[in-house]
């Protein structure tokens, strides 16, 4: 996979590769910096297959160290820079890491965690490592397609996080699919890098797709809607990639009324279901096309997409990308009829090698060559898939299945609603009752009873939330995805 950086550095050495406001790295500089890091890692005793950790935000140091580690033949373990010391210690210990890089803006978290497990911790500035030793490694150490390139830890919604082993072929093929067939990158494109690079969406669809095509990635260390609007205008961003909450935040940002977004041609969204109202409003406001897709850490990530040259169906995740197959199955692994809900099962060149050092978890996730996603979807006669919900988020109210997304979609249709999260609340008679936490748009007004009645008028009686409460904001994960499991009905 790292060979893509070599190719881009040779074909267009002076083309901007990475931007962070006024700091610009062209492809020649990115290649030279990565080669120097690789030489330094070799000097520190890092051998092919050893694990190297990154606890870095979206700053130039991330791509420099990421590709430097790959040049040295190491396995990269990206981590959220907001993690606390004990959390970082878990990742270091579980992966058997040899070296870990931290950002000088994150305090003592990385040095303390590295010391606790007895490995080398290196703190670097945003612009990248300095005082490097060793002879630069100009060409990546040869690795087989099925060798592990990256270990990406899942969010740990069920127990301790597990490390998904993504191979060189997993990542390179998925980045190529993204660049060539989904966003169709050309030489003058500029990709917005506001998705966290430590997450597979930002890593594959942002950084690796950019390097694959030799285009520019402009970074925002931490998402802010006003900053995103500014960067789109300033750097003439043509491709925006984000999760639904980012789109909603930009739409509701006061600066949206005057922002110059004319350079945008293509936007992609994933990570969670995009409310149809937000998708349509974004396209109408900014004059671009938004393509919704679907994937997971375990699938590198892209598995299906609404694709250029085909009908776009708002509210769907499209159909499988090249090199990937999808089925909808019941609990026995049998295909469900068209139109019926079933769990998404995935097979193809994007599916992980397995979970790091967890053969039983791997066998459970991939029992028959098909990865079980835990997501429930339906498929229409044209082959387009629509996410119904996470299997474990399903609410069973009095024997009836209620999928939170359907209720959330209805809430999003209310003009005052900015964000919504629907959860199941334990009930002595029904098993579960439906609750909804709602954040309103700035300056908007609506009371819980009004919102409850709004949904009741639009959905079956067993589906509408009997309990609605207003919150200032909803809990979100590192990518901005709303975390239903952290919504507290006591709020």
């Amino acid at each position: 996979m790292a060979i893509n950086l070599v190719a881009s550095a040779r074909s267009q050495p002076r083309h901007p590769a990475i931007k962070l406001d006024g700091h610009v790295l062209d492809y020649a500089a990115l290649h030279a910096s990565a080669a120097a890091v690789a030489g330094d890692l070799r000097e520190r005793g890092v051998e092919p297959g050893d694990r190297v950790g990154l606890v870095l935000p979206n700053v130039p140091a991330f791509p420099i160290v990421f590709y430097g580690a790959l040049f040295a033949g190491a396995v990269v373990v990206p981590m959220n820079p907001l993690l606390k010391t004990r959390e970082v210690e878990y990742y270091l210990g579980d992966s058997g890491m040899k070296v870990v890089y931290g950002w000088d803006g994150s305090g003592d978290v990385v040095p303390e965690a590295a010391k606790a497990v007895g490995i080398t911790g290196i703190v670097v500035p945003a612009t990248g490592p300095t005082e490097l030793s060793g002879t630069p490694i100009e060409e990546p150490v040869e690795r087989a397609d099925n060798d592990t390139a990256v270990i990406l830890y899942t969010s740990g919604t069920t127990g301790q996080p597990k490390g998904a082993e993504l191979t060189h072929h997993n990542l390179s093929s998925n980045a190529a699919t993204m660049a060539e067939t989904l966003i169709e990158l050309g030489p003058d494109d500029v990709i917005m890098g506001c998705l966290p690079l430590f997450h597979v969406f930002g890593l594959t669809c942002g950084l690796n797709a950019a390097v694959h095509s030799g285009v520019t990635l402009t970074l925002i260390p931490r998402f802010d809607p006003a900053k995103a609007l500014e960067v789109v205008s300033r750097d003439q961003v043509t491709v925006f990639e984000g999760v639904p909450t980012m789109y909603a935040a930009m739409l509701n940002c006061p600066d949206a009324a005057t922002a110059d977004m004319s350079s945008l041609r293509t936007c992609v969204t994933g990570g969670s279901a995009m409310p149809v109202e937000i998708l349509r409003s974004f396209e109408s406001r900014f004059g671009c096309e938004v393509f919704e897709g679907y994937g997971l850490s375990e699938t590198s990530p892209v598995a299906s997409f609404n694709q250029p040259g085909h009908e776009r169906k708002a509210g769907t995740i499209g159909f499988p990308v090249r090199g990937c197959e999808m089925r909808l199955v019941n609990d026995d692994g049998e295909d469900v009829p068209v139109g019926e809900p079933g769990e998404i099962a995935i097979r193809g060149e994007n599916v992980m090698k397995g979970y790091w050092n967890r053969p039983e978890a791997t066998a459970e996730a991939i029992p028959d060559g098909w990865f079980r996603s835990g997501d429930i979807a339906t498929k229409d006669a044209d082959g387009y898939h629509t996410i119904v919900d996470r299997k474990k988020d399903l609410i069973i109210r009095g024997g009836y299945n209620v999928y939170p997304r359907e209720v959330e979609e209805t809430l999003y249709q209310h003009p005052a609603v900015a964000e919504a999260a629907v959860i199941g609340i334990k009930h002595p008679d029904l098993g579960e009752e439906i609750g909804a936490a709602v954040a309103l748009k700035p300056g908007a007004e609506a009371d819980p009873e009004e919102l409850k009645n709004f949904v009741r008028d639009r959905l079956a009686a067993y589906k509408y939330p009997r309990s609605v409460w207003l919150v200032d904001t909803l809990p979100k994960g590192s990518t901005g995805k709303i975390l239903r499991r952290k919504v507290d009905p006591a709020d």
Side-chain angles (χ1 to χ4, degrees):
M1 182 175 65
I3 198 66
N4 289 334
L5 176 54
V6 176
S8 291
R10 287 175 178 166
S11 64
Q12 41 194 1
R14 299 306 167 201
H15 190 81
I18 305 295
K19 285 186 177 182
L20 176 61
D21 294 327
H23 185 81
V24 181
L25 275 177
D26 60 27
Y27 272 98
L30 178 58
H31 174 264
S33 297
V37 168
D40 187 67
L41 286 170
R42 179 63 54 81
E43 186 79 5
R44 294 176 184 275
V46 172
E47 298 292 334
D50 286 342
R51 273 74 63 204
V52 172
L54 277 66
V55 191
L56 300 168
N58 285 17
V59 295
F62 189 106
I64 289 170
V65 177
F66 176 79
Y67 279 102
L70 292 181
F71 270 45
V75 176
V76 183
V77 186
M79 288 165 276
N80 187 337
L82 298 179
L83 293 174
K84 302 298 184 183
T85 302
R86 287 184 63 185
E87 295 170 306
V88 173
E89 284 180 31
Y90 169 78
Y91 292 110
L92 304 188
D94 188 73
S95 64
M97 212 173 290
K98 199 162 191 176
V99 175
V100 59
Y101 289 85
W103 179 45
D104 62 7
S106 297
D108 296 328
V109 170
V110 166
E112 289 177 356
K115 183 179 179 180
V117 297
I119 67 169
T120 300
I122 304 170
V123 176
V124 300
T127 53
T130 56
E131 301 179 7
L132 301 174
S133 61
T135 303
I137 299 175
E138 302 285 346
E139 296 280 343
V141 171
E142 187 172 343
R143 302 290 283 162
D145 282 350
N146 197 46
D147 283 338
T148 303
V150 169
I151 297 176
L152 277 171
Y153 279 83
T154 63
S155 57
T157 55
T158 54
Q160 290 278 32
K162 302 185 294 291
E165 290 189 73
L166 302 179
T167 68
H168 287 268
H169 184 60
N170 286 156
L171 291 168
S172 61
S173 65
N174 210 238
T177 294
M178 189 71 188
E180 296 168 6
T181 70
L182 302 181
I183 52 178
E184 301 177 318
L185 292 175
D188 298 323
D189 276 316
V190 178
I191 301 175
M192 169 68 83
C194 57
L195 286 166
L197 297 180
F198 64 81
H199 188 274
V200 68
F201 191 179
L203 181 65
T204 295
C205 304
L207 177 59
N208 290 342
V211 171
H212 171 86
S213 301
V215 305
T216 303
L217 180 70
T218 183
L219 298 173
I220 296 179
R222 192 171 182 180
F223 180 76
D224 172 82
K227 182 66 174 180
L229 293 167
E230 173 195 329
V231 171
V232 169
S233 176
R234 184 194 69 200
D235 293 345
Q236 293 294 284
V237 170
T238 58
V239 178
F240 183 89
E241 301 172 345
V243 296
T245 52
M246 292 179 177
Y247 288 88
M250 291 168 69
L251 270 173
N252 294 319
C253 180
D255 294 351
T258 56
D260 178 11
M261 305 284 277
S262 59
S263 61
L264 276 184
R265 64 169 178 84
T266 299
C267 300
V268 298
T269 179
S272 60
M274 169 72 102
V276 175
E277 290 298 317
I278 292 176
L279 183 150
R280 289 173 175 161
S281 296
F282 197 92
E283 289 186 335
S284 175
R285 172 75 67 86
F286 299 123
C288 56
E289 290 185 311
V290 180
F291 293 85
E292 187 171 5
Y294 168 79
L296 309 99
S297 296
E298 292 90 342
T299 60
S300 304
V302 185
S304 69
F305 229 79
N306 279 277
Q307 300 178 29
H310 299 268
E311 179 186 3
R312 284 186 306 137
K313 293 189 178 185
T316 78
I317 56 169
F319 50 92
V321 300
R322 72 181 187 188
C324 176
E325 300 174 81
M326 282 173 47
R327 298 165 55 212
L328 300 183
V329 299
N330 60 23
D331 290 341
D332 296 323
E334 301 166 336
D335 292 336
V336 301
V338 171
E340 293 295 316
E343 182 178 3
I344 296 175
I346 303 167
R347 181 174 69 180
E349 59 189 27
N350 56 335
V351 174
M352 67 171 180
K353 188 176 185 177
Y355 291 116
W356 174 258
N357 284 343
R358 284 174 169 78
E360 292 181 0
T362 300
E364 182 181 353
I366 314 174
D368 50 8
W370 292 83
F371 171 72
R372 298 299 197 274
S373 68
D375 289 316
I376 305 297
T378 58
K379 182 172 72 172
D380 67 17
D382 298 323
Y384 285 69
H385 293 73
T386 300
I387 295 291
V388 177
D389 248 310
R390 286 290 296 172
K391 190 174 182 180
K392 59 177 172 289
D393 286 341
L394 175 69
I395 301 169
I396 303 178
R397 181 187 185 275
Y400 289 94
N401 291 349
V402 179
Y403 295 101
R405 187 198 172 183
E406 182 182 12
V407 185
E408 290 165 357
E409 285 277 3
T410 306
L411 282 164
Y412 276 109
Q413 293 171 19
H414 191 287
V417 173
E419 295 178 341
V422 172
I423 62 171
I425 301 172
K426 288 183 179 180
H427 190 279
D429 300 320
L430 299 170
E432 288 182 292
E433 187 53 275
I434 302 160
V438 176
L440 301 180
K441 295 176 181 177
E445 294 183 2
D447 61 46
E449 197 64 26
E450 175 187 344
L451 297 171
K452 187 190 306 183
N453 292 336
F454 182 84
V455 179
R456 183 174 57 189
D457 291 343
R458 288 161 175 80
L459 293 180
Y462 69 89
K463 294 181 181 179
Y464 80 87
R466 268 56 174 186
S467 178
V468 175
W469 60 100
L470 300 180
V471 295
D472 293 331
T473 186
L474 288 167
K476 300 180 181 70
S478 57
T479 62
K481 179 180 178 180
I482 293 171
L483 300 177
R484 291 195 190 107
R485 70 182 185 277
K486 291 193 174 182
V487 173
D488 185 356
D491 291 344

